[in-house]
């Protein structure tokens, strides 16, 4: 469409219980547009909607979507939120974008009063056990022949006790 969502980036903040959406738009005709951000997970829905006047051209819009008590992403519980971004004018939808994101935080620092630094996932220590995953296979070199093949790779990595692949 002439007026559309060009891109979006999601920045989760588990400490504040929110996700920041930075959205790039292109607007063909100036005027009021409504942008709605909707995130769903586990039967819960989080929505924010704002109407702004936009000029013609590319521009940014930012939204803070409250997500109280978020379902956190981890290797053992890879919770993902399904998100929809909708651009509308005069109650007519101009563009809809579907994406997903995880509520997680990677950081480093002391834990429970220790003088040592840890790698922290969601504010708790995690010991990273990983491997370089280049997925060489004779039929496609670095291309998986199908989804079952890559799923099998990841299941084998989990069975070996790995919690990350690079």
């Amino acid at each position: 469409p002439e007026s559309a969502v060009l891109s979006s980036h999601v920045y989760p903040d588990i400490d504040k219980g929110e996700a920041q959406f930075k959205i790039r738009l292109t607007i063909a005709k100036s005027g009021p547009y409504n942008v709605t951000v909707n995130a769903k997970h586990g039967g819960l829905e989080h929505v924010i909607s704002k109407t702004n006047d936009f000029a013609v051209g590319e521009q940014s819009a930012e939204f803070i979507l409250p997500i109280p008590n978020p379902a956190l992403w981890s290797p053992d519980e890879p919770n993902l939120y399904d998100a929809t971004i909708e651009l509308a004018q005069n109650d007519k939808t101009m563009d809809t974008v579907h994406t997903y994101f995880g509520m997680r935080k990677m950081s480093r620092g002391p834990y429970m009063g220790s003088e040592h630094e840890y790698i922290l996932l969601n504010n708790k220590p995690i010991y990273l056990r990983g491997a370089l995953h280049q997925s060489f296979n004779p039929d496609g070199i670095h291309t998986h022949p199908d989804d079952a093949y890559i799923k099998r790779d990841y299941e084998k990595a989990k069975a070996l006790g790995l919690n990350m692949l690079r």
Side-chain angles (χ1 to χ4, degrees):
E2 291 181 8
S3 294
V5 176
L6 297 175
S7 66
S8 69
H9 290 87
V10 184
Y11 300 91
D13 188 331
I14 67 167
D15 298 324
K16 292 182 180 177
E18 63 189 32
Q20 179 185 29
F21 284 74
K22 291 187 177 183
I23 302 167
R24 290 286 303 151
L25 304 168
T26 184
I27 302 297
K29 179 182 172 190
S30 64
Y33 285 81
N34 188 63
V35 180
T36 302
V37 176
N38 180 320
K40 296 178 184 178
H41 175 75
L44 296 176
E45 186 172 4
H46 309 279
V47 180
I48 189 166
S49 187
K50 285 197 267 184
T51 300
N52 288 338
D53 280 322
F54 289 108
V56 172
E58 288 187 21
Q59 50 220 283
S60 297
E62 291 186 18
F63 293 83
I64 301 293
L65 181 65
I67 303 178
N69 303 312
L72 300 179
W73 180 96
S74 75
D76 294 324
E77 293 185 50
N79 295 302
L80 293 175
Y81 285 79
D82 292 314
T84 304
I85 301 165
E86 184 179 274
L87 176 66
Q89 186 179 45
N90 300 325
D91 295 325
K92 180 183 175 206
T93 300
M94 309 299 285
D95 193 18
T96 303
V97 173
H98 301 279
T99 189
Y100 60 91
F101 65 96
M103 290 295 290
R104 49 86 182 112
K105 175 184 175 183
M106 287 295 303
S107 59
R108 66 173 211 204
Y111 182 73
M112 295 188 67
S114 171
E115 62 186 59
H116 304 288
E117 276 197 347
Y118 293 86
I119 295 173
L120 304 171
L121 173 63
N122 302 329
N123 298 323
K124 295 179 183 171
I126 183 169
Y127 182 77
L128 298 178
R129 293 176 303 275
L132 176 60
H133 183 259
Q134 292 182 314
S135 188
F136 176 78
N137 70 74
D139 295 329
I141 302 179
H142 296 290
T143 303
H144 296 287
D146 56 38
D147 289 346
Y149 190 94
I150 192 169
K151 184 177 180 184
R152 192 169 42 255
D153 271 6
Y154 295 145
E155 287 170 346
K156 285 179 182 178
K158 291 272 293 177
L160 288 169
L162 304 180
N163 60 10
M164 66 170 267
L165 294 172
R166 177 177 167 264

